[in-house]
Amino acid sequence: MPVDLEKWIVRKKVFWSRIWEDLEIGYLDRDLLPLLIELNLRPYTYTLSSCSGRIILVDSVKPWARKGTNVIFKKHAPITHEELVRVTREPCAEALWLIVSGPIIHASTASLKEAGELLRVARRAGFKHSGVLSMHKVKGIIVEMLTGIKAIHIIKKGEEFITPVSELSKVVAVANELLEDAKEALKRLVNEVRSSRPERLDSFIIRDLQRKQHFSIF
Amino acid sequence: MPVDLEKWIVRKKVFWSRIWEDLEIGYLDRDLLPLLIELNLRPYTYTLSSCSGRIILVDSVKPWARKGTNVIFKKHAPITHEELVRVTREPCAEALWLIVSGPIIHASTASLKEAGELLRVARRAGFKHSGVLSMHKVKGIIVEMLTGIKAIHIIKKGEEFITPVSELSKVVAVANELLEDAKEALKRLVNEVRSSRPERLDSFIIRDLQRKQHFSIF
């Protein structure tokens, strides 16, 4: 099933302009920006919702559940002991989980060849769980770039502490150390994508970056 | 890039017979068997190394590291309090992590159409991180079926307990509960694959199952 390139390019422009709207309203995960630019410079790739790596605290029966999960805290940067202690003092309905996640990047490509190229680049950067999620005529071929970087640690089960308050500073140190690995993986990916640039870059993106005076990135 | 069907079928037969060798030597993760049979009954699919969900204990700096990681304990079934306590009594070089993983299934398909069909089946069963990992002329199109089911809990950092011995029974209860979800996800996947059988099943696999007297599964 080939992708309808004309319609795909319209979508690329929409998603590209959303990045800059999100940046303006403070909604963008800023650590992602260099990678998003680098990927969108490829004529046959655009980026979708992605994450640079983060630490979250959720109150839920199962840490992976969407329904009934209450995200109490979210940060794309190291956390402090005080931040964690503050959350653990709040009442907990189900269980309190601390989750460190590595980067997760979603992109759409206009061809299987380009999807295969992204998967090879991602794998070279250590994103070993990367894959093509789905294929659509208009939405394009959806690629997920994913590492194995993850920690999902239970702190409380209801009101009972499984990780005692006295040990929380150690948990913070471990979580921040793992997050550092996440951010390093992201840098490896930016470097791999940059060193695998196609001969021709997307002229629309280049011109738009020039307008935005981000030209310095070249 | 089309798959070389003749060579692909040779590989299917090799991987199929390996399942039964592994079963004989006790190397096969037995919970997988119904799914492996169901997937291989599809003419354009064969299965590769897979896991039905498990609990492991590893001694390593980072829980996802391959190098320098020492797997101390591994079980595809619920663990007991005694099993966990025994492992925590051993000296720990780096950090002791308890990891619960959901099922992970690898398959090769002979066409993109079949890969797309498997991804849709997997997604219906809740395997939301499923994707095409790579494409080869001979090895086929490699599909990974993956859920978000995971827990990665730190128990010791070197010789210091972060999760105290007094709380280990709670950790065991939580880990076993999560593993139960993993096994349920696997059953959902078997059911989805079964209810999405193609019109024609693989006649070689059917005949071989009859020889093996597994015919009762139909």
Side-chain angles (χ1 to χ4, degrees), chain A residues 61-64 66 97 104 112 115-116 119 123 128-135 144 146 148-155 157 160-164 167 170-171 174 177-179 181-182, chain B residues 61-64 66 97 104 112 115-116 119 123 128-135 144 146 148-155 157 160-164 167 170-171 174 177-179 181-182:
Chain A
V61 182
K62 302 289 162 65
W64 53 81
R66 286 267 165 117
W97 303 88
I104 178 162
L112 265 178
L119 290 185
R123 211 141 291 148
K128 62 179 183 172
H129 289 291
S130 303
V132 170
L133 297 188
S134 58
M135 293 171 254
E144 179 174 78
L146 191 65
I149 296 175
K150 196 103 187 172
I152 304 162
H153 185 90
I154 189 164
I155 292 176
K157 176 104 184 177
E160 282 184 88
F161 276 87
I162 291 183
T163 307
E167 305 304 320
K170 284 179 205 154
V171 170
V174 170
E177 217 178 279
L178 301 186
L179 186 71
D181 268 44
Chain B
V61 183
K62 303 288 161 69
W64 54 79
R66 286 268 167 116
W97 303 87
I104 180 164
L112 266 178
L119 291 185
R123 210 141 295 148
K128 61 179 183 172
H129 289 291
S130 304
V132 170
L133 297 187
S134 57
M135 293 169 254
E144 180 174 77
L146 191 64
I149 296 173
K150 195 105 187 170
I152 305 162
H153 184 91
I154 189 163
I155 291 175
K157 175 103 184 180
E160 282 182 89
F161 276 87
I162 291 184
T163 307
E167 305 302 319
K170 286 180 203 156
V171 171
V174 169
E177 217 178 280
L178 302 186
L179 187 71
D181 269 43

Side-chain angles (χ1 to χ4, degrees), chain A residues 42-208:
Chain A
R42 301 177 69 90
Y44 300 117
T45 291
Y46 68 81
T47 51
L48 296 159
S49 70
S50 302
C51 172
S52 69
R54 66 184 189 183
I55 297 175
I56 62 173
L57 288 156
V58 302
D59 181 352
S60 66
V61 182
K62 302 289 162 65
W64 53 81
R66 286 267 165 117
K67 268 186 263 175
T69 290
N70 185 7
V71 178
I72 300 165
F73 179 90
K74 178 162 87 172
K75 206 174 169 186
H76 292 90
I79 59 166
T80 65
H81 182 236
E82 292 68 39
E83 283 169 330
L84 179 55
V85 169
R86 204 178 309 134
V87 173
T88 59
R89 281 201 194 119
E90 300 290 318
C92 171
E94 300 294 351
L96 181 68
W97 303 88
L98 180 141
I99 304 178
V100 186
S101 303
I104 178 162
I105 316 298
H106 292 106
S108 167
T109 70
S111 73
L112 265 178
K113 193 174 164 237
E114 174 74 353
E117 177 63 19
L118 283 193
L119 290 185
R120 280 185 293 274
V121 166
R123 211 141 291 148
R124 282 204 297 277
F127 284 58
K128 62 179 183 172
H129 289 291
S130 303
V132 170
L133 297 188
S134 58
M135 293 171 254
H136 308 273
K137 207 172 152 49
V138 175
K139 289 185 189 170
I141 293 145
I142 309 299
V143 175
E144 179 174 78
M145 292 172 249
L146 191 65
T147 66
I149 296 175
K150 196 103 187 172
I152 304 162
H153 185 90
I154 189 164
I155 292 176
K156 280 163 81 176
K157 176 104 184 177
E159 289 306 313
E160 282 184 88
F161 276 87
I162 291 183
T163 307
V165 177
S166 60
E167 305 304 320
L168 291 182
S169 62
K170 284 179 205 154
V171 170
V172 168
V174 170
N176 287 340
E177 217 178 279
L178 301 186
L179 186 71
E180 214 178 290
D181 268 44
K183 302 294 177 173
E184 272 164 27
L186 185 74
K187 281 182 201 149
R188 273 202 311 279
L189 184 58
V190 179
N191 290 337
E192 278 297 340
V193 179
R194 191 168 288 144
S195 63
S196 310
R197 278 188 182 174
E199 266 183 46
R200 194 177 66 78
L201 296 180
D202 190 318
S203 54
F204 170 81
I205 302 292
I206 291 181
R207 278 201 309 277
D208 198 56

